[in-house]
Amino acid sequence: MSIANFTDMIQQQGLAQETKTHLRVTVLGGGSFGTAMANLAAHNGCDTMMWIRDEAVAAQTQATRINQRYLPDFTLEESLRIVSSLDEAVRNRDIILVAIPSHSFRSVLKQIAPMISAQVVVSLTKGIEKDSFCFMSDIIRQELPEVPYGVLSGPNLAKEIMQGMPAGTVIASASEQLRSAIQQALHSALFRVFASDDVHGVELGGALKNIYAVAMGMGAAYQVGENTRSMLITRALAEMSRFAVKLGANPLTFLGLSGVGDLFATCSSPLSRNYQIGYALGQGKSLEQAVQELGQTAEGINTIVQVRARAEELDVYMPITCALYEVIFEHAPPLSVALSLMKNGNRSDVEFVLPHQQLG
């Protein structure tokens, strides 16, 4: 059965969302995932805007109903409004979804601070701020200290969402009302929104998995076998959870969509930007060439730098991350990543199960 037929079947069975919501939703950022979420909210009946910084690009997208740069093969919902005025996009709205690359996240929040009244702010960005090691929730708390906030993360490849393929995500927040509002705005017959109160765990899963997508893309370029891929994914999960617990997250969070789910999707799909960067590096291209050819932000490269430094500070064993850093920035042979998996074999298979044995 094709995905189109599956979608029709779901709708015919009456499982599609029938009660339209009138929440006022704004997505800041016109990248692929931000566009997909804005389109989904508009489809669900929300009064939805998407802010694009470039006035000409915003006008073109509004007129053509196509995000030519990021999602050229899809037509956007007619009700979705694309604007370039930040004031128009933020004032008198209910939900602000921020899909801005990590390097610009803080500056945009500083700009919208005077416009915030009763809005809630949710990060869609899976990354870490350069140098400060702040996650996006940290930046929200610092720049908008009185605002209810959350993070949205999961195995969410934008093109598949736009195609109507079934998918799920996680909204994490300490506020039950915020979680409910996001579920109301984004949940549909083909997009399920789960809830969590482990903000750091969900956010860490979304950021850290980008590291291992780079590794997996590199491995794909070298045509590694399924055994190697499976070992890489499971040891990546061990590294992620080990690092996250050191920062106060719940290790069980990594068994969900924002952990192993996102890790699997990002490490398995050529649609992943970080996978594409790794593949290009594995082909022998320079980092500059790989980033230029991608034409989009790949958060994984900055995350490798930030996490390696913090892991050393916290004395957290992260051999894959460290090996990747050496390959990308110190010109070590790519085989170093595979060799990092084979060191220190006398360790626990499943993290935290054997507390008296070395882990890795």
Side-chain angles (χ1 to χ4, degrees):
M1 179 184 294
S2 70
I3 191 64
N5 290 338
F6 178 83
T7 302
D8 290 342
M9 180 185 74
I10 291 290
Q11 292 172 341
Q12 288 168 7
Q13 289 176 347
L15 297 179
Q17 183 174 348
E18 295 180 0
T19 303
K20 296 297 184 180
T21 176
H22 295 289
L23 286 169
R24 297 167 296 180
V25 177
T26 286
V27 176
L28 301 181
S32 55
F33 186 53
T35 300
M37 291 298 96
N39 200 63
L40 183 59
H43 179 76
N44 283 353
C46 295
D47 173 358
T48 309
M49 288 187 190
M50 181 169 68
W51 174 76
I52 296 177
R53 187 191 307 270
D54 189 297
E55 185 176 354
V57 173
Q60 180 190 44
T61 308
Q62 173 68 27
T64 63
R65 315 309 301 162
I66 295 174
N67 187 329
Q68 192 62 47
R69 180 176 180 183
Y70 295 105
L71 294 168
D73 299 326
F74 303 96
T75 302
L76 303 177
E77 293 284 329
E78 284 296 327
S79 62
L80 174 59
R81 288 175 287 162
I82 298 93
V83 301
S84 59
S85 167
L86 200 53
D87 187 85
E88 180 183 2
V90 174
R91 288 194 191 276
N92 302 315
R93 310 297 286 171
D94 299 312
I95 297 171
I96 309 296
L97 304 176
V98 188
I100 302 293
S102 62
H103 60 80
S104 299
F105 199 94
R106 187 183 296 274
S107 65
V108 170
L109 260 59
K110 285 180 180 292
Q111 292 177 63
I112 70 172
M115 309 165 196
I116 294 292
S117 52
Q119 302 94 320
V120 301
V121 176
V122 175
S123 167
L124 307 187
T125 300
K126 300 175 179 179
I128 303 171
E129 187 178 43
K130 187 177 180 180
D131 299 328
S132 73
F133 202 81
C134 284
F135 289 87
M136 302 307 105
S137 64
D138 299 325
I139 298 174
I140 295 173
R141 287 199 305 272
Q142 291 167 10
E143 301 298 335
L144 306 172
E146 304 300 323
V147 173
Y149 68 91
V151 300
L152 189 81
S153 190
N156 301 146
L157 298 167
K159 289 183 180 179
E160 291 188 3
I161 294 171
M162 294 295 289
Q163 288 169 344
M165 294 185 180
T169 195
V170 180
I171 174 62
S173 175
S175 167
E176 182 179 356
Q177 292 80 6
L178 185 150
R179 297 195 301 263
S180 178
I182 297 300
Q183 288 175 317
Q184 183 184 0
L186 298 180
H187 182 88
S188 73
L190 297 171
F191 191 76
R192 187 167 180 184
V193 183
F194 295 84
S196 171
D197 61 0
D198 184 11
V199 174
H200 260 316
V202 168
E203 196 165 33
L204 278 161
L208 295 177
K209 55 88 186 179
N210 289 329
I211 295 173
Y212 309 104
V214 175
M216 192 65 81
M218 196 177 294
Y222 279 85
Q223 298 182 325
V224 300
E226 294 302 321
N227 289 341
T228 308
R229 288 166 53 85
S230 297
M231 184 165 63
L232 176 59
I233 287 179
T234 52
R235 298 326 301 161
L237 186 62
E239 278 196 20
M240 290 168 63
S241 56
R242 187 161 57 237
F243 184 77
V245 166
K246 194 76 172 182
L247 295 180
N250 185 341
L252 294 179
T253 297
F254 289 81
L255 299 179
L257 277 175
S258 63
V260 68
D262 203 2
L263 177 67
F264 178 82
T266 312
C267 287
S268 303
S269 175
L271 294 176
S272 161
R273 290 170 290 182
N274 294 286
Y275 182 102
Q276 292 174 39
I277 287 286
Y279 191 87
L281 293 172
Q283 290 179 313
K285 296 178 181 178
S286 69
L287 178 59
E288 292 73 19
Q289 283 178 301
V291 171
Q292 185 175 11
E293 290 179 6
L294 179 64
Q296 300 186 48
T297 300
E299 294 282 358
I301 301 300
N302 172 57
T303 305
I304 290 169
V305 176
Q306 302 297 317
V307 170
R308 172 184 173 271
R310 183 51 62 92
E312 289 183 350
E313 291 175 12
L314 299 175
D315 193 27
V316 180
Y317 181 60
M318 301 189 75
I320 303 173
T321 302
C322 292
L324 270 175
Y325 181 91
E326 292 168 3
V327 169
I328 296 171
F329 297 103
E330 298 178 353
H331 309 295
L335 187 61
S336 300
V337 179
L339 292 176
S340 73
L341 296 171
M342 310 310 294
K343 297 177 181 178
N344 304 309
N346 188 27
R347 291 177 176 270
S348 173
D349 173 35
V350 179
E351 203 73 0
F352 311 114
V353 169
L354 298 176
H356 301 299
Q357 187 178 14
Q358 282 188 314
L359 301 174

